[in-house]
Amino acid sequence: MFQKILIANRGEIALRVIRACREMGIRSVAVHSTADSDAMHVRMADESVCIGPPPGAQSYLSIPAIVSACEISGADAIHPGYGFLSENANFVQVLEDHDITFIGPTSDHIRIMGDKITAKDTMKALGVPCVPGSDGGVPDLATAEKVAEQIGYPVIIKATAGGGGRGMKVARTAAEMTRAFQTARAEAKGAFGNDEVYIEKYLEKPRHIEVQVFGDGKGNAVHLGERDCSLQRRHQKVFEEAPGPAIDAETRARIGKVCAEAVARINYIGAGTIEFLYENGEFFFIEMNTRLQVEHPVTEAIFGVDLVREQIRVAEGLPMSFTQDDLVLNGHAIEVRINAEKLPNFSPCPGRITAFHAPGGLGVRMDSALYDGYVIPPYYDSLIGKLIVHGRDRPEALARLARALGELIVDGVDTTIPLFSALLAEPEIQAGSYDIHWLERWLERNLAA
Ligand code: MV4
């Protein structure tokens, strides 16, 4: 059994992990930069270690700093949260070499899914439906043109080392290919130090549907349905819901089974998310995330499970506390991301919180590390809270979200809160009929400065 877990993160996700530790009787160790000495995660943990100066590269992203903090505090395991080192295969390799348990998948699985071509090859071989495209990397323009002629325009050129939307270019016609291919390669080289690219058929109006999976590392795995995360701005999710409004029970069971069987076959351990584009009733795999995601609470709400507790259990070698048959989908959940950002441009808005009041009541969860008087530092991402609501059905969840947003007070900095009240008034949001381009188009019509 773990006696002590170090949380290699900050903000609301650090609190999320500390809470799970406390309920399990495990001591928690917070790490923090000098900018975060007064942060809530430091206050809430059983102990804390200062790991460096404010910039992430010298603190939350510093492998030697985190490993030293682990050895100083005598922690048995590290929970990485999301972002920072959570999908860094080299970090996990170092922990494996130091006999520190990483609460997450193996370095091999992280490496496989981090390389987008290897990830796609792996998933394809496991029977997961993929977007039609090149067989692996595309070395030159002539090959790119040949592949595009075969699958038909429009196509999208993606960086093998990319993911999350960075380093992608669309070519709508053969005439656009030269430029798109060269730009994609140059951007991939600049952003990732690796200019390998691959090509896919470009899907015009898909939804972003992601399936939550969970494995025990011993060949057993389950799925916990899907989330629809189509409402994004510049590849940042802003509103997520589960179940997906466009997915029926039969479809969920079918794609869920494919995903659970795939991760079982590779002995995957812990939480994972298999991302798909969904168009005209078909799923197309794009990427797998080998971490706990920001939006995991909507899945927790509808299945009534604690995913962090399960991550800790399987990392200790215990079985998951449920089987597929135990997982019964109940109701509907929605999460909105509260960012310290100024509309209409979403420019970061750090500063002092002069008043904070979290909403409450039935079916309301607020995950946030804010408190009255807290000063949001300018060094990290702008997520300051997540409001999650759960209702018996989607209309009830929407009404509850409107009600909870009315109770929420965050004063002193600009936030994305006003965006959500405006979105809730939209008939297409009420109806659940939106795709991955809906939000950007809506923002252009409604917020353009
Ligand atoms: C695509 C696509 C259309 N066709 N792939 C963007 C993030 C990365 N994870 C994958 N992305 C896309 N891949 C094909 N073959 C459109 C996108 C995309 C997108 C995907 C999910 C959510 C929002 C998006 C916004 C723009 C483009």
Side-chain angles (χ1 to χ4, degrees):
M1 283 293 279
F2 297 147
Q3 303 292 311
K4 201 186 266 193
I5 291 173
L6 180 142
I7 299 107
N9 216 302
R10 63 186 300 283
E12 68 85 18
I13 194 61
L15 304 193
R16 172 69 189 83
V17 178
I18 292 167
R19 287 172 171 144
C21 290
R22 193 146 291 148
E23 290 180 15
M24 296 174 85
I26 300 169
R27 286 181 63 80
S28 55
V29 182
V31 296
H32 67 93
S33 71
T34 53
D36 276 344
S37 301
D38 294 327
M40 195 60 167
H41 74 287
V42 176
R43 299 184 180 195
M44 198 185 275
D46 292 309
E47 41 189 290
S48 65
V49 182
C50 182
I51 52 168
Q58 293 169 66
S59 51
Y60 300 102
L61 283 167
S62 165
I63 295 172
I66 302 271
V67 172
S68 305
C70 194
E71 300 207 307
I72 289 164
S73 60
D76 310 298
I78 296 183
H79 194 298
Y82 50 69
F84 292 124
L85 296 170
S86 62
E87 292 177 288
N88 186 314
N90 295 330
F91 173 58
V92 177
Q93 183 105 56
V94 169
L95 299 188
E96 286 163 2
D97 295 342
H98 281 73
D99 284 316
I100 299 168
T101 304
F102 178 72
I103 301 173
T106 61
S107 58
D108 289 337
H109 284 147
I110 295 173
R111 205 168 275 119
I112 287 167
M113 299 308 168
D115 179 292
K116 302 307 161 187
I117 291 178
T118 313
K120 215 174 150 181
D121 284 348
T122 304
M123 286 299 173
K124 200 170 162 191
L126 290 164
V128 178
C130 295
V131 192
S134 58
D135 201 4
V138 176
D140 52 47
L141 180 59
T143 312
E145 286 169 334
K146 213 164 73 201
V147 171
E149 292 302 334
Q150 273 161 18
I151 60 178
Y153 286 94
V155 299
I156 185 165
I157 305 149
K158 297 183 175 182
T160 306
R166 294 175 308 160
M168 308 187 321
K169 282 282 166 293
V170 176
R172 300 206 154 269
T173 61
E176 286 179 13
M177 181 51 107
T178 310
R179 210 183 131 78
F181 184 77
Q182 254 118 38
T183 316
R185 281 193 84 140
E187 286 186 11
K189 182 85 193 166
F192 315 111
N194 174 353
D195 69 355
E196 190 178 41
V197 297
Y198 62 106
I199 292 182
E200 289 181 344
K201 177 80 184 171
Y202 179 68
L203 304 178
E204 298 274 4
K205 289 177 166 195
R207 287 175 181 258
H208 172 116
I209 304 288
E210 54 182 40
V211 176
Q212 178 72 56
V213 292
F214 207 99
D216 68 357
K218 299 169 183 172
N220 305 299
V222 298
H223 74 86
L224 296 96
E226 78 290 348
R227 299 180 284 261
D228 190 325
C229 307
S230 299
L231 294 174
Q232 307 196 6
R233 176 186 178 271
R234 300 198 180 165
H235 305 298
Q236 295 292 315
K237 293 167 187 164
V238 302
F239 175 112
E240 304 106 338
E241 59 181 315
I247 309 297
D248 64 25
E250 186 267 326
T251 306
R252 172 172 312 111
R254 184 169 47 82
I255 194 68
K257 184 162 188 276
V258 169
C259 292
E261 283 177 1
V263 298
R265 283 259 291 283
I266 61 172
N267 292 332
Y268 188 81
I269 184 162
T273 298
I274 306 187
E275 291 188 351
F276 294 94
L277 297 177
Y278 180 74
E279 191 173 70
N280 301 324
E282 273 191 275
F283 288 93
F284 302 96
F285 169 79
I286 48 171
E287 291 172 24
M288 177 167 180
N289 301 320
T290 54
R291 62 171 189 277
L292 183 76
Q293 295 201 230
V294 175
E295 60 273 23
H296 75 277
V298 293
T299 300
E300 294 188 320
I302 63 170
F303 286 102
V305 302
D306 178 340
L307 288 171
V308 176
R309 177 187 180 93
E310 297 303 320
Q311 287 185 296
I312 295 169
R313 283 180 62 92
V314 298
E316 282 181 308
L318 295 172
M320 290 179 267
S321 68
F322 44 74
T323 65
Q324 189 70 61
D325 287 341
D326 296 328
L327 293 168
V328 181
L329 194 162
N330 168 29
H332 197 95
I334 303 172
E335 171 179 284
V336 294
R337 296 194 189 190
I338 317 291
N339 291 345
E341 289 172 349
K342 193 173 170 60
L343 303 173
N345 298 318
F346 295 80
S347 35
C349 198
R352 183 179 297 274
I353 300 294
T354 55
F356 175 61
H357 177 77
L362 180 65
V364 175
R365 167 176 174 183
M366 180 90 197
D367 277 18
S368 173
L370 292 186
Y371 57 84
D372 281 321
Y374 175 62
V375 180
I376 302 166
Y379 306 100
Y380 313 106
D381 82 22
S382 57
L383 184 81
I384 55 170
K386 309 186 305 203
L387 171 57
I388 305 103
V389 295
H390 182 215
R392 286 172 299 177
D393 53 23
R394 192 169 184 277
E396 189 169 280
L398 287 165
R400 190 156 282 157
L401 177 57
R403 186 271 289 174
L405 283 166
E407 293 178 17
L408 172 60
I409 297 171
V410 180
D411 285 347
V413 300
D414 285 294
T415 74
T416 49
I417 297 167
L419 173 66
F420 301 114
S421 313
L423 282 178
L424 283 176
E426 288 294 329
E428 285 159 313
I429 298 298
Q430 289 284 334
S433 55
Y434 52 77
D435 62 29
I436 61 169
H437 303 297
W438 189 93
L439 181 62
E440 302 243 19
R441 285 177 189 149
W442 183 89
L443 288 168
E444 228 156 78
R445 276 184 284 119
N446 290 274
L447 286 186

